[in-house]
């Protein structure tokens, strides 16, 4: 077995897989959603579905920030780059996300000043180094990343930087999970909870999933063994008729979350009344806006944005894939018009997107590579 | 690394975090610490971990320039191994090297 040797603990992997096989009830089908795109990536990379019984179906959740960003927001952000005074900055994940008039990278190729940064603090530094320009940071991400934007704005104020602002597209995971739970075409029995989002928000915010919807959630680490152990914990809950929040990733995730991060977010951000998610539609109180007290750093207040709504290309079925209704390869464009080299939808762009992960890793099986093995 | 070079690398994933060991604090810059990852030293922001004192030798997970959680040495090794297994250890090192705010400032007031 080629890949099993990569694991630090092949014996434990086998044991976890055997335990999962033991726990599944004959004739029962299990739909488990991994909420986080990092998990989606790991699941495909390690071909974990191959060590699971066929009755366990992993449904890929909405936890990939660029994937859930509607194209209209991409266009709004890119409209800023047409202003020659503006330096638009974004994470690498954003650079190839297609807007209606091309991706940030294509705008750059056409002469717009779009620059990739690894940290919002890099964007702030760029503003300090270019006092005659307006530097805008195109902020995306869940609660993992939102605190870093909040702290960056606090520093911008402390340092008196006047030419820096943020185009805020931070989203929050709980309303998205609630929307999935309330969606009539979604039947998920349990959740593999996000790892790093939970280091910020802790485990308590998930309790409603168990209390109000009767479904288990287990926050999980990213190693293959973590994911398998989380599935074992979920199956045990389902077997016993329990539904509670359990923390498989306790070595990193504190139950109460990260208080300085939550404080910084509360000071800088407020909830938007509603926000559009690609595939999920408008979800109330599901995204963050910059508070009035930080208005001078809010690109949406500083600049006039078109505020466009763009429907996805008709043939692309990103929404269905995002909701787990379709598998990536069931989309009509998958692997034909839409590839990682020429993405039509954002799910094919980010390494955390289900389509890119599926394209890059799931297809290798047909090229003779072995799964982890049991 | 220059911005131009940075634009040519693959997209670093938004979610995965990089383990680093705190080797030094920065005088007069209490929000920064020097961390070491595989022999490379960079400054990162530690404001998210200031509720309890941090010490040299502690390990943290780094995300977009910020230390976001404390971890043990075993978890740090696991995380580095995981990045390698995912084929993203090179990207992680490029991200670290790419932090511009981390460069020693030309002037103190430039220090983001």
């Amino acid at each position: 077995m080629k890949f099993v040797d990569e694991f630090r603990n092949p014996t434990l992997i086998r044991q976890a897989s055997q335990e999962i096989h033991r726990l599944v009830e004959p004739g029962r089908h299990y739909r488990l959603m991994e909420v986080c795109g990092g998990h989606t990536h790991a699941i495909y990379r390690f071909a974990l579905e191959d060590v699971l019984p066929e009755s366990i179906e992993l449904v890929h959740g909405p936890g990939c920030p660029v994937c859930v960003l509607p194209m209209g927001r991409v266009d709004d952000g890119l409209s800023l780059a047409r202003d020659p005074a503006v330096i638009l900055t974004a994470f690498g994940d954003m650079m190839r996300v297609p807007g209606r008039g091309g991706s940030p990278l294509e705008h750059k190729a056409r002469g717009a000043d779009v620059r990739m940064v690894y940290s919002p603090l890099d964007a702030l530094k760029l503003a300090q180094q270019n006092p005659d320009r307006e530097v805008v940071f195109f902020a995306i991400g869940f609660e993992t990343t939102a605190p870093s934007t909040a702290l960056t704005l606090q520093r911008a104020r402390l340092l008196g930087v006047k030419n820096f602002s943020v185009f805020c597209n931070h989203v929050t995971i709980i309303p998205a999970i609630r929307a999935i739970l309330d969606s009539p075409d979604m039947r998920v029995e349990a959740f593999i909870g996000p790892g790093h989002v939970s280091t910020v928000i802790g485990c308590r915010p998930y309790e409603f999933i168990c209390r109000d919807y009767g479904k288990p959630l287990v926050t999980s680490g990213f190693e293959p063994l973590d994911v398998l152990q989380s599935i074992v914990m979920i199956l045990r809950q389902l077997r016993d008729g329990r539904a509670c929040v359990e923390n498989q990733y306790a070595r990193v995730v504190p139950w109460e979350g990260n208080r300085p991060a939550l404080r910084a977010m509360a000071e800088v951000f407020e909830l938007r009344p509603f926000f559009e998610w690609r595939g999920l539609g408008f979800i109330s109180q599901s995204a963050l806006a910059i508070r009035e007290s930080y208005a001078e750093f809010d690109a949406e207040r500083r600049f006039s944005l078109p505020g466009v709504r763009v429907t996805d290309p008709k043939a692309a079925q990103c929404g269905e894939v995002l909701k787990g209704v379709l598998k990536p390869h069931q989309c009509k464009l998958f692997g034909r018009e839409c590839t990682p080299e020429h993405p039509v939808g954002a799910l094919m762009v980010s390494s955390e997107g289900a389509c890119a992960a599926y394209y890059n890793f799931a297809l290798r099986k047909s090229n003779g590579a072995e799964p982890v093995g049991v | 690394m220059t911005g131009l070079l940075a634009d040519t690398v693959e997209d670093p994933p938004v979610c995965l975090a990089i383990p680093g060991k705190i080797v030094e604090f920065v005088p007069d810059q209490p929000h920064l610490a020097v961390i070491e990852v595989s022999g490379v030293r960079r400054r990162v922001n530690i404001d998210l971990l200031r509720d309890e004192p941090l010490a040299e030798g502690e390990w943290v997970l780094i995300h977009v320039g910020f230390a976001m959680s404390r971890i043990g040495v075993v978890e740090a090794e696991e995380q580095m191994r995981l990045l390698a297994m995912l084929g993203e250890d090179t990207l992680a090192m490029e991200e670290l090297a790419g932090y511009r705010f981390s460069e020693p400032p030309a002037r103190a007031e430039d220090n983001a």
Side-chain angles (χ1 to χ4, degrees):
Chain A
M1 288 287 178
K2 184 181 167 199
F3 290 102
V4 81
D5 295 335
E6 291 181 12
F7 294 106
R8 187 169 47 83
N9 35 28
T11 311
L12 292 176
I13 294 273
R14 282 192 186 90
Q15 284 171 354
S17 173
Q18 284 161 1
E19 178 68 2
I20 289 169
H21 279 81
R22 207 178 58 76
L23 281 165
V24 293
E25 295 167 25
R28 185 169 176 183
H29 186 74
Y30 299 83
R31 278 171 65 90
L32 315 181
M33 174 174 277
E34 86 276 4
V35 175
C36 168
H39 286 139
T40 304
H41 183 101
I43 285 163
Y44 279 128
R45 165 65 182 83
F46 299 121
L48 288 184
E49 284 179 317
D50 291 352
V51 303
L52 296 176
E54 278 187 12
S55 57
I56 293 186
E57 180 186 351
L58 295 177
V59 182
H60 316 304
C64 160
V66 304
C67 304
V68 297
L69 190 66
M71 196 181 268
R73 294 292 288 185
V74 179
D75 285 345
D76 273 359
L78 285 170
S79 74
L80 295 167
R82 289 193 205 108
D83 182 341
V86 167
I87 302 174
L88 182 67
T89 58
F91 289 140
D93 280 53
M94 270 305 303
M95 293 300 282
R96 288 189 303 117
V97 176
R100 204 169 30 172
S103 67
L105 210 53
E106 286 162 333
H107 276 68
K108 184 182 174 72
R110 294 200 289 264
D113 198 346
V114 183
R115 306 191 197 183
M116 180 184 133
V117 291
Y118 286 103
S119 168
L121 290 172
D122 290 343
L124 178 59
K125 178 141 191 177
L126 208 55
Q128 290 176 292
Q129 291 169 335
N130 295 274
D132 54 335
R133 305 284 300 278
E134 281 284 337
V135 174
V136 182
F137 176 59
F138 195 135
I140 57 161
F142 285 87
E143 289 95 332
T144 322
T145 316
S148 58
T149 303
L151 285 170
T152 299
L153 287 182
Q154 288 177 334
R155 287 210 62 76
R157 166 160 291 171
L158 186 76
L159 296 164
V161 182
K162 302 291 184 203
N163 60 328
F164 177 69
S165 59
V166 167
F167 178 47
C168 186
N169 293 280
H170 286 301
V171 284
T172 57
I173 197 68
I174 295 295
I177 295 178
R178 192 186 291 275
I180 285 164
L181 285 163
D182 288 338
S183 168
D185 53 357
M186 275 309 301
R187 286 182 308 281
V188 174
E189 283 196 78
F191 294 90
I192 298 170
H196 293 137
V197 161
S198 306
T199 65
V200 173
I201 67 173
C203 295
R204 232 175 258 291
Y206 303 119
E207 285 172 347
F208 79 97
I209 299 168
C210 314
R211 190 186 57 234
D212 301 343
Y213 294 87
K215 297 182 193 295
L217 179 143
V218 176
T219 59
S220 176
F222 295 89
E223 290 224 25
L225 186 58
D226 289 326
V227 177
L228 295 182
Q229 278 177 347
S230 299
I231 293 173
V232 167
M233 291 163 79
I234 285 170
L235 292 175
R236 284 183 180 149
Q237 286 198 40
L238 291 173
R239 178 196 62 190
D240 301 342
R242 288 182 296 127
C244 54
V245 179
E246 291 182 303
N247 188 4
Q248 186 276 336
Y249 202 29
R251 62 187 193 272
V252 175
V253 172
W255 191 263
E256 301 292 340
N258 182 317
R259 288 176 198 282
L262 295 170
R263 275 200 305 270
M265 284 167 67
E267 185 191 315
V268 173
F269 299 127
E270 61 189 9
L271 283 172
R272 291 178 193 269
F274 53 85
F275 193 74
E276 186 182 6
W277 291 55
R278 182 177 266 190
L280 298 175
F282 285 92
I283 305 177
S284 63
Q285 304 203 315
S286 64
L288 304 175
I290 294 171
R291 278 189 190 282
E292 180 71 39
S293 53
Y294 277 80
E296 77 254 42
F297 300 107
D298 185 357
E300 284 178 84
R301 288 178 167 103
R302 262 170 101 130
F303 301 92
S304 152
L305 295 178
V308 285
R309 282 199 69 204
V310 182
T311 45
D312 281 326
K314 261 212 176 91
Q317 294 169 293
C318 307
E320 284 87 343
V321 175
L322 256 176
K323 284 195 289 190
V325 177
L326 286 186
K327 297 286 176 198
H329 68 276
Q330 293 170 327
C331 171
K332 290 194 281 284
L333 302 187
F334 180 85
R336 289 183 280 271
E337 288 92 333
C338 189
T339 62
E341 291 74 32
H342 300 286
V344 176
L347 286 158
M348 193 55 102
V349 176
S350 168
S351 62
E352 296 187 354
C355 295
Y358 192 91
Y359 188 94
N360 287 327
F361 299 122
L363 292 181
R364 73 180 176 175
K365 275 187 282 178
S366 57
N367 298 330
E370 302 264 5
V372 289
V374 283
Chain B
M1 174 180 293
T2 67
L4 195 65
L5 247 184
D7 286 342
T8 64
V9 303
E10 277 184 64
D11 319 321
V14 168
C15 201
L16 291 179
I18 308 165
K21 181 181 169 183
I22 294 178
V23 292
E24 200 180 314
F25 293 98
V26 182
D28 304 325
Q29 301 286 337
H31 61 290
L32 295 175
V34 179
I35 52 93
E36 188 175 288
V37 183
S38 301
V40 175
R41 289 185 175 208
R42 306 296 287 181
R43 293 171 173 199
V44 298
N45 184 296
I46 53 170
D47 275 342
L48 291 176
L49 300 180
R50 285 172 73 192
D51 260 13
E52 290 172 41
L54 273 172
E56 285 174 18
E58 274 197 81
W59 287 82
V60 294
L61 282 181
I62 301 152
H63 175 66
V64 299
F66 292 77
M68 61 182 294
S69 33
R70 296 159 202 265
I71 51 171
V73 62
V74 175
E75 285 76 47
E77 283 168 6
E78 273 177 12
Q79 182 69 11
M80 208 61 213
R81 192 182 163 83
L82 175 67
L83 288 174
M85 281 157 59
L86 288 170
E88 278 159 11
D89 46 343
T90 311
L91 289 178
M93 296 310 289
E94 279 170 5
E95 172 171 336
L96 272 183
Y99 292 155
R100 292 182 208 190
F101 74 90
S102 176
E103 292 157 8
R107 298 172 303 160
E109 60 268 30
D110 277 351
N111 211 328

